[in-house]
Amino acid sequence: MAGRRLSRRWAAVCAGLALALGVGHGTATAAGDPVPPAPKRILSFPLAAAGGLLHPDAPPAGADDWSCKPTREHPRPVVLLHGTWANAYDDWGLMSPYLKQLGYCVFAAEYGGAPGNPVKATAHVPDSARQIAAYVDRVLKATGAHQVDLVGHSQGGGLTPRWYLRFAGGTDPGHPESNKVHGLIGLAPSNHGTTASGLGTLTTKLGLNPAVSLLAGQAYSDQMVGSEVNTTLDRDGDTQPGVDYTVIATRFDEVVTPYTHQFLTAGPGATVKNITIQDICRADASEHLSIAYDSNAAQLVRNALDPAHAEPVSCGLTLPVLGG
């Protein structure tokens, strides 16, 4: 009982701080762009991380309004897909309210983990892809939309949605006009596997990936360079016909390494835009975690979702881990 009271007290503290600072609520700037000022943004990730532990199944601010109907300006709902060992609440505290205030119907899927567990996206990639497929179908039915756009971080922008597109019903290669997904935007996506800054190379060479996966989840092994999931997925190319792909990577990524493994090559009927964020904002110091809380990356996501109305990125301060 005392533990529950303490959890509620911490939840109230986090909520109060978020409200006071404008974190997670998309406070508009003077220019009308719904991104909070830098001092508020820098607290977004720590507060969301605390909230994700306390409310591991709660949607982030701005997400999961099942009565939302797409507009003519934004006809496709956006489905956010969190990364490995994360959940929707702690991964999308900045992006979700930002896209909501831009006018999108925003939905944040949970996958690859048990309800009540804050550590999700640990399951076998094909199993998680089937969960994403069911979630997208639910979004399409609720909104009446023909297609969605996927925005994912790490695993959620790489292997798992690509598996969904190819093997779990996200696309119809013979009839791309029937695809359920229009675009996939990946923030630091694990597209071609990772060496995990050498740790993955070591566990792979020593044959330890199955043992590590018993603790870390099968998604660990699935995302290593040369895994069966990677080999199967890459066998027939990186893309699916009719899908627009955008990769937003950082040179300072310490998790999906080398960072160039994140980039895709366009196959027939698909488009790919590979972006290294430091080529846009030279002083951007985001790494794997903070790129989901990087206002520069958020603006690139905005442009990828609506390229006809793309705007120059207003580069701001971004710090490792904290974002900005």
Side-chain angles (χ1 to χ4, degrees):
M1 185 67 73
R4 283 187 207 155
R5 283 199 298 269
L6 184 61
S7 293
R8 285 197 295 268
R9 192 171 301 158
W10 272 109
V13 169
C14 290
L17 282 171
L19 183 62
L21 294 166
V23 174
H25 293 276
T27 304
T29 64
D33 198 0
V35 176
K40 297 180 180 180
R41 293 198 305 269
I42 288 174
L43 290 174
S44 294
F45 183 35
L47 289 172
L53 289 173
L54 296 170
H55 308 290
D57 300 315
D64 291 7
D65 175 3
W66 293 96
S67 66
C68 186
K69 298 299 179 185
T71 63
R72 179 176 297 179
E73 292 78 14
H74 302 302
R76 294 182 299 275
V78 176
V79 175
L80 303 175
L81 303 173
H82 59 77
T84 310
W85 304 334
N87 57 61
Y89 192 100
D90 63 29
D91 221 359
W92 300 119
L94 177 68
M95 190 71 70
S96 178
Y98 173 67
L99 295 178
K100 180 68 172 180
Q101 288 208 12
L102 287 177
Y104 290 93
C105 292
V106 181
F107 299 88
E110 300 281 13
Y111 68 94
N117 188 341
V119 180
K120 303 184 192 295
T122 60
H124 190 30
V125 161
D127 294 338
S128 291
R130 285 189 286 272
Q131 289 183 314
I132 290 170
Y135 189 88
V136 169
D137 286 349
R138 183 184 174 198
V139 169
L140 291 174
K141 182 177 180 180
T143 61
H146 173 60
Q147 292 180 317
V148 303
D149 284 311
L150 304 178
V151 176
H153 178 213
S154 191
Q155 181 192 160
L159 285 181
T160 301
R162 286 179 59 217
W163 192 281
Y164 160 57
L165 293 177
R166 177 158 296 174
F167 299 119
T171 61
D172 182 350
H175 303 87
E177 68 280 0
S178 299
N179 289 352
K180 295 178 181 179
V181 175
H182 174 270
L184 170 60
I185 303 168
L187 297 168
S190 56
N191 275 318
H192 296 300
T194 176
T195 65
S197 293
L199 176 63
T201 302
L202 180 64
T203 59
T204 298
K205 286 187 175 180
L206 295 178
L208 295 176
N209 286 346
V212 174
S213 291
L214 289 176
L215 297 174
Q218 181 60 34
Y220 175 86
S221 292
D222 289 347
Q223 292 177 94
M224 292 300 108
V225 170
S227 72
E228 183 178 354
V229 165
N230 267 294
T231 302
T232 301
L233 191 56
D234 291 346
R235 186 173 296 134
D236 296 318
D238 292 351
T239 62
Q240 290 295 101
V243 180
D244 295 333
Y245 296 80
T246 302
V247 172
I248 302 170
T250 169
R251 289 194 178 96
F252 304 125
D253 200 310
E254 75 284 26
V255 176
V256 180
T257 55
Y259 78 91
T260 52
H261 278 202
Q262 300 171 27
F263 296 145
L264 298 171
T265 300
T271 66
V272 169
K273 188 170 186 179
N274 293 314
I275 301 170
T276 302
I277 200 163
Q278 286 79 22
D279 290 342
I280 307 297
C281 298
R282 301 174 92 184
D284 191 301
S286 63
E287 37 65 68
H288 189 80
L289 296 177
S290 60
I291 197 167
Y293 281 84
D294 182 346
S295 65
N296 305 324
Q299 294 173 75
L300 290 170
V301 170
R302 173 200 65 199
N303 289 345
L305 289 171
D306 189 7
H309 299 93
E311 301 175 11
V313 174
S314 177
C315 295
L317 174 69
T318 300
L319 301 175
V321 181
L322 293 174

